[in-house]
């Protein structure tokens, strides 16, 4: 009897393990209830979309890769090399990845908003959040048939909007524009037909009410790590003028510094008046910042008095050294222009 129980337990254990090993992908629960996104996305659509459509992509993906080398790859690595695989893998791997992402970037919580850093990036790339939404809506409306519209980060850490057909996505090596999506909107009819029928535009207008900007921001910030001087814009401003005047002067072109010495003195003054972020607020750095302000002013006077080129060049070079003391003290590493 004891042996039988022991045998049964062992058998059960290996069966479960075997079944799991056979099926690398499985459906995760939603982080909210099926009717929580109402009135924007209705309960029935959510149930069918999650338990039927998404589940089908997973079932078919497991089937398509069973016994192939694709089983050993992570989903992301599979997508990045998708051109090597048949359509059944492409459609279902995409279908699983896209929907898994989609559920996480939706939320019943109202009033989520992009983080400061994502918000700044959106402003830089698209003007403002509303123009980003219009651009994505336009791409979604122009997507003929089924597909997705994406906000992604490319390899240069730049944001871009794109749309892909079927279950493709920007991570795939077959995509026109490649990157890592941080926000994706499903524009297959199965995502909206029960409530909105053929009115894709109404669905698009509604879905922005349930976008989880906290999750989108988290994804953005993982892909685009904070820059060392992001909280000290004045040093970046000074750096710009320094980089654009010092390097030409090294090559014998003093025109840039002669036309911009006033601007440089101005930026150095603003740098001295700026609030130094706590992590950089050291005695040596404060001293160097002060020196930058004084020496920049001297250099500006020199330029105004039409001092000999050699003197101007030497003064700028000294200033550049002081600047690097600050950056060097901050980072402990060689600063790149
Ligand atoms: Mn879908």
């Amino acid at each position: 009897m004891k042996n039988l129980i022991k045998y049964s337990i062992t058998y059960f254990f290996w069966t479960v393990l075997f079944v799991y090993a056979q099926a690398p992908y499985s459906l995760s629960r939603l982080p909210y209830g099926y009717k929580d996104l109402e009135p924007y996305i209705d309960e029935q659509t959510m149930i069918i979309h999650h338990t039927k459509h998404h589940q089908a992509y997973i079932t078919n993906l497991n089937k398509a890769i069973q016994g192939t080398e694709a089983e050993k790859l992570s989903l992301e690595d599979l997508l990045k090399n998708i051109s090597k695989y048949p359509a059944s893998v492409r459609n279902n791997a995409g279908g699983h990845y896209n929907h898994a992402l989609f559920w996480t970037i939706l939320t019943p919580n109202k009033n989520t908003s992009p983080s400061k850093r994502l918000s700044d990036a959106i402003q830089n790339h698209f003007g403002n959040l509303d123009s980003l939404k219009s651009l994505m809506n336009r791409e979604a409306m122009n997507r003929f048939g089924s597909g997705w519209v994406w906000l992604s980060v490319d390899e240069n850490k730049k944001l871009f909007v794109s749309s892909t057909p079927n279950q493709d996505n920007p991570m795939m090596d077959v995509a026109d524009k490649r990157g890592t999506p941080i926000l994706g909107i499903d524009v297959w009819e199965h995502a909206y037909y029960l409530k909105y029928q053929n009115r894709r535009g109404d669905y698009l207008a509604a879905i922005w009410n349930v976008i989880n900007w906290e999750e989108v921001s988290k994804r953005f910030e993982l892909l685009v790590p904070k820059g060392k001087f992001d909280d000290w814009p004045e040093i970046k401003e000074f750096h710009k003028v320094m980089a654009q005047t010092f390097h030409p002067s090294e090559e014998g072109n003093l025109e840039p510094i002669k036309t911009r010495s006033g601007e440089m003195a101005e930026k150095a003054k603003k740098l001295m008046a700026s609030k130094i972020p706590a992590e950089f607020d050291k005695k040596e750095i404060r001293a160097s910042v002060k020196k930058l302000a004084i020496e920049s002013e001297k250099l500006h006077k020199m330029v105004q008095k039409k001092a000999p080129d050699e003197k101007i060049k030497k003064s700028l070079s000294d200033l550049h050294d002081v600047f690097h003391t600050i950056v060097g003290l901050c980072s402990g590493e060689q600063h790149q222009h």
Side-chain angles (χ1 to χ4, degrees):
M1 188 60 192
K2 240 186 187 170
N3 272 345
L4 185 66
I5 292 172
K6 221 187 206 169
Y7 173 78
S8 302
I9 290 172
T10 309
Y11 177 79
F12 178 73
F13 174 79
W14 284 111
T15 307
V16 168
L17 195 72
F18 183 72
V19 168
Y20 267 91
Q22 288 293 96
Y25 298 106
S26 59
L27 189 66
S28 296
R29 284 177 61 112
L30 293 186
Y32 38 79
Y34 288 116
K35 61 177 171 193
D36 291 356
L37 304 181
E38 292 200 350
Y40 308 108
I41 305 178
D42 61 289
E43 180 179 19
Q44 204 192 353
T45 296
M46 287 301 291
I47 293 173
I48 296 172
H49 202 172
H50 183 241
T51 65
K52 305 294 180 198
H53 291 281
H54 189 179
Q55 180 62 65
Y57 293 119
I58 291 171
T59 306
N60 293 331
L61 173 60
N62 286 333
K63 237 184 261 171
I65 63 174
Q66 191 175 1
T68 75
E69 56 154 75
E71 253 181 341
K72 297 178 205 113
L73 294 179
S74 70
L75 184 54
E76 294 198 0
D77 284 338
L78 183 55
L79 296 173
K80 285 173 183 168
N81 296 288
I82 207 72
S83 61
K84 296 180 192 149
Y85 297 91
S88 57
V89 176
R90 175 169 167 177
N91 292 336
N92 292 299
H96 175 39
Y97 180 91
N98 298 349
H99 287 89
L101 170 72
F102 187 55
W103 309 131
T104 67
I105 58 92
L106 297 176
T107 178
N109 300 331
K110 299 289 172 294
N111 309 320
T112 69
S113 52
S115 66
K116 173 82 174 69
R117 282 216 289 128
L118 176 57
S119 185
D120 287 348
I122 288 173
Q123 230 171 63
N124 286 337
H125 288 87
F126 309 106
N128 58 45
L129 188 57
D130 282 337
S131 9
L132 168 65
K133 290 178 187 173
S134 318
L135 179 61
M136 289 184 74
N137 287 352
R138 218 160 40 237
E139 288 275 343
M141 290 303 286
N142 290 338
R143 167 54 51 201
F144 181 77
S146 299
W148 290 74
V149 58
W150 305 99
L151 174 64
S152 311
V153 175
D154 72 13
E155 57 179 356
N156 300 315
K157 315 277 180 214
K158 304 280 183 216
L159 288 175
F160 69 94
V161 166
S162 67
S163 139
T164 54
N166 307 315
Q167 293 296 352
D168 287 359
N169 66 47
M171 201 168 270
M172 291 182 173
D173 59 354
V174 294
D176 292 338
K177 278 190 191 171
R178 294 188 62 190
T180 307
I182 58 171
L183 165 58
I185 296 176
D186 189 343
V187 290
W188 282 57
E189 281 187 344
H190 71 224
Y192 60 86
Y193 200 84
L194 292 180
K195 185 176 169 74
Y196 297 97
Q197 292 82 48
N198 60 327
R199 303 187 308 276
R200 187 184 280 186
D202 290 355
Y203 158 71
L204 290 167
I207 201 169
W208 292 109
N209 291 293
V210 288
I211 293 295
N212 187 348
W213 285 107
E214 277 167 24
E215 177 63 26
V216 177
S217 302
K218 213 157 69 188
R219 287 174 183 270
F220 173 76
E221 283 171 22
L222 276 175
L223 292 167
V224 185
K226 188 163 171 275
K228 197 178 280 290
F229 297 111
D230 280 1
D231 295 332
W232 199 4
E234 292 85 357
I235 194 129
K236 288 174 143 185
E237 284 294 309
F238 181 84
H239 175 212
K240 251 186 249 167
V241 190
M242 174 57 84
Q244 290 163 3
T245 55
F246 174 67
H247 293 296
S249 110
E250 267 195 317
E251 285 154 19
N253 176 10
L254 291 175
E255 242 359 81
I257 187 58
K258 284 181 183 174
T259 49
R260 298 180 70 183
S261 61
E263 186 189 347
M264 183 181 274
E266 200 54 44
K267 302 278 184 200
K269 220 190 270 172
K270 279 191 181 152
L271 179 61
M272 201 172 89
S274 71
K275 183 171 173 5
I276 302 178
E279 58 193 304
F280 305 128
D281 197 5
K282 303 185 186 97
K283 201 174 140 198
E284 302 93 314
I285 290 181
R286 283 198 301 271
S288 292
V289 165
K290 191 173 171 190
K291 198 166 173 193
L292 270 192
I294 295 168
E295 298 300 319
S296 295
E297 190 54 42
K298 276 189 192 159
L299 172 58
H300 181 44
K301 292 234 165 80
M302 227 181 257
V303 168
Q304 284 177 316
K305 286 179 184 159
K306 303 202 187 314
D309 281 4
E310 274 318 300
K311 271 190 143 177
I312 292 173
K313 194 173 167 181
K314 172 76 169 54
S315 166
L316 181 56
S317 170
D318 290 348
L319 207 55
H320 179 255
D321 288 346
V322 176
F323 174 70
H324 272 269
T325 350
I326 298 176
V327 175
L329 284 172
C330 293
S331 67
E333 64 201 33
Q334 198 62 38
H335 182 68
Q336 301 280 319
H337 281 298

